[in-house]
């Protein structure tokens, strides 16, 4: 009995060991399957997201590309003159068009034109519109432009008496299809200016001999209203302005020769008179003062010359401004200076040729800025007294 009991206990102790060796591996396989299933779901999800992103990007890209081929602004039919420089590649041209707000995307334009074999563009000036589609712009560039700026819509340019070239440049940009930059570049075009000098020798002969001029045509763009046709070039417009000056001076060339002044000197004094006096009477008197100073070998001492010398539109001058070494500063230098300071009216030109009361020996003048009355004096003491008369009004005006 005891022996059997011992054997049974022994058997019971051995059974757990047998069960341990016989434990099935099913749980590990299930876990692996679960992990694989989860991984597949994650990968599938990621792939799905990527596909969705690609679809979204594709749709957005298509819409962006399609939109970029449409007009910049369908309702904007104004003409934008665009200059394509020599040697510019399609990428550079695309940048220019985008900066001028003619196309929406330079990148799309560059890609689209290459894809359609339309990138063989030519240098020149083009009249384009924001209402044109990308295809229309590309087609225009393939046809070729003009060698110089052209007005594409009828316009008018008003040159006001006393306007400087820099002011006329702004006016031209506002009132025509030409830009101020194009105009100012033409004002430095020596080949063009020499052509004008040959056409109008009486008018521009002395101007061509002048030294240190800022703009050789300063003073020779006559104040008037000019009609600019659709096919008018910028050169034709400027030629029209210079031709108008020549027409107005034709009756006075003989008188200018008798005055022993050159046309350049007459126009210079006239440009000062234009800004210093407001009435015909005062302009003639002021012209007499300037001529008296010239004869006495005095400086002309006009602040108008200083403002031009420092190229500023500010209302007051500092001691530093008065000492500016520009040859245009006639508060510092003797004589007429390089040339005119603006485009004078015929009234001012005639005032220089027919000054008033030179026999009075007036050497000074000062204006009351409030009333406009001008006071004249023969000497420094009289001038100082006149300055005292206008001091209160002039101080309140500054």
């Amino acid at each position: 009995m005891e022996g059997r009991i011992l054997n049974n206990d022994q058997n019971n102790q051995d059974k757990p060991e047998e069960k341990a060796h016989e434990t099935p591996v099913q749980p590990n396989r299930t876990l692996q399957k679960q992990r694989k299933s989860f991984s597949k779901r994650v990968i599938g999800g990621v792939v799905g997201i990527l596909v969705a992103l690609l679809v979204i990007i594709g749709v957005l890209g298509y819409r962006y590309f399609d939109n970029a081929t449409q007009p910049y602004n369908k309702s904007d039919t104004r003409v934008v003159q665009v200059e394509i420089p020599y040697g510019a590649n399609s990428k550079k041209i695309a940048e220019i068009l985008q900066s001028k707000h003619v196309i929406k995307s330079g990148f799309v334009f560059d890609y689209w034109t290459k894809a359609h074999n339309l990138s063989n563009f030519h240098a020149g000036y083009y009249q384009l519109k924001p209402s044109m589609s990308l295809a229309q712009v590309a087609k225009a560039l393939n046809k070729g432009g003009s060698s110089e700026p052209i007005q594409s819509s009828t316009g008018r340019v008003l040159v006001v008496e006393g306007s400087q070239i820099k002011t006329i440049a702004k006016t031209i940009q506002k009132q025509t299809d030409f830009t101020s930059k194009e105009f100012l570049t033409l004002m430095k075009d020596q080949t063009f200016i020499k052509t004008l000098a040959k056409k109008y020798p009486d008018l521009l002969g002395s101007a061509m001999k002048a030294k240190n001029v800022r703009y050789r045509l300063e003073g020779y763009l006559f104040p008037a209203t000019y009609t600019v046709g659709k096919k008018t070039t910028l050169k034709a417009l400027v030629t029209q302005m210079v031709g108008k000056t020549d027409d107005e001076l034709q009756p006075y060339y003989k008188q200018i020769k008798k005055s022993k002044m050159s046309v350049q000197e007459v126009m210079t004094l006239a440009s000062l008179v234009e800004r210093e006096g407001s009435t015909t009477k005062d302009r003639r008197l002021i012209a007499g003062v300037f001529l008296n100073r010239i004869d006495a070998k005095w400086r002309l001492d006009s602040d108008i010359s200083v403002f031009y010398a420092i190229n500023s539109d500010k209302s007051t001058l500092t001691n530093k401004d008065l000492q500016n070494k520009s040859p245009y500063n006639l508060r510092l230098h003797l004589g007429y200076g390089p040339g005119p300071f603006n485009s004078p009216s015929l009234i001012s030109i005639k005032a220089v040729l027919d000054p008033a009361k030179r026999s009075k020996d007036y050497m000074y003048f000062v204006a009351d800025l409030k009333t406009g009355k001008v006071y004249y004096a023969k000497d420094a003491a009289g001038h100082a007294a006149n300055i005292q008369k206008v001091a209160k009004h002039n101080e309140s005006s500054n």
Side-chain angles (χ1 to χ4, degrees), residues 26 78-79 297 379:
Q26 186 65 30
R78 64 188 174 86
V79 175
K297 299 189 185 305
D379 53 36

Side-chain angles (χ1 to χ4, degrees), residues 380-394:
H383 185 52
N386 288 336
I387 290 176
Q388 282 297 111
K389 290 180 183 178
V390 302
K392 286 185 178 180
H393 285 175
N394 288 1

Side-chain angles (χ1 to χ4, degrees), residues 48-235:
I49 292 172
L50 290 175
V51 171
L53 285 174
L54 289 174
V55 171
I56 293 171
I57 292 172
V59 171
L60 292 177
Y62 172 79
R63 288 181 178 178
Y64 171 78
F65 192 93
D66 182 63
N67 180 62
T69 62
Q70 302 304 311
Y72 184 89
N73 186 344
K74 289 182 180 180
S75 61
D76 190 350
T77 58
R78 64 188 174 86
V79 175
V80 178
Q81 186 148 241
V82 179
E83 180 187 5
I84 303 300
Y86 286 100
N89 57 26
S90 58
K91 183 178 180 181
K92 177 63 178 177
I93 293 172
E95 291 174 356
I96 293 172
L97 294 173
Q98 184 174 342
S99 68
K100 291 286 187 178
H101 303 301
V102 173
I103 61 173
K104 293 181 177 180
S105 169
F107 169 77
V108 172
F109 179 85
D110 185 32
Y111 176 84
W112 189 91
T113 53
K114 287 179 179 177
H116 290 78
N117 294 318
L118 292 173
S119 57
N120 186 28
F121 302 136
H122 305 282
Y125 291 90
Y126 294 84
Q127 286 68 47
L128 306 173
K129 299 178 181 180
S131 59
M132 296 171 68
S133 68
L134 188 147
Q136 290 173 320
V137 172
K139 187 176 180 180
L141 292 175
N142 262 274
K143 286 183 177 180
S146 59
S147 59
E148 57 184 279
I150 292 178
Q151 172 79 359
S152 295
S153 57
T154 303
R156 292 178 181 272
V157 175
L158 173 61
V159 178
V160 179
E161 291 90 345
S163 296
Q164 296 178 355
I165 277 180
K166 68 175 184 179
T167 307
I168 297 172
K170 294 176 182 178
T171 300
I172 283 178
Q173 177 157 305
K174 288 180 181 178
Q175 299 179 357
T176 74
D177 298 331
F178 308 122
T179 67
S180 58
K181 182 180 178 181
E182 289 166 351
F183 176 76
L184 292 175
T185 297
L186 187 59
M187 291 297 99
K188 293 289 188 178
D189 188 334
Q190 297 305 312
T191 301
F192 171 62
I193 294 171
K194 287 178 181 178
T195 301
L196 289 175
K198 288 182 180 180
K199 189 172 183 178
Y200 306 107
D202 291 334
L203 179 69
L204 297 176
S206 56
M208 296 303 291
K209 297 176 183 177
K211 297 179 180 179
N212 301 315
V213 292
R214 184 176 296 168
Y215 295 110
R216 205 164 290 279
L217 295 181
E218 187 79 87
Y220 294 95
L221 307 180
F222 199 81
T225 299
Y226 300 90
T227 300
V228 193
K230 292 184 177 181
K231 295 184 179 180
T232 302
T233 65
L234 187 55
K235 287 182 180 179

Side-chain angles (χ1 to χ4, degrees), residues 22-40:
E22 294 175 2
T23 301
V25 294
Q26 186 65 30
N28 289 335
R29 291 179 180 176
T30 302
L31 184 59
Q32 288 176 358
K33 287 182 179 179
Q34 290 175 347
R35 287 176 177 173
K36 287 181 180 180
S37 176
F38 177 74
S39 296
K40 287 181 180 179

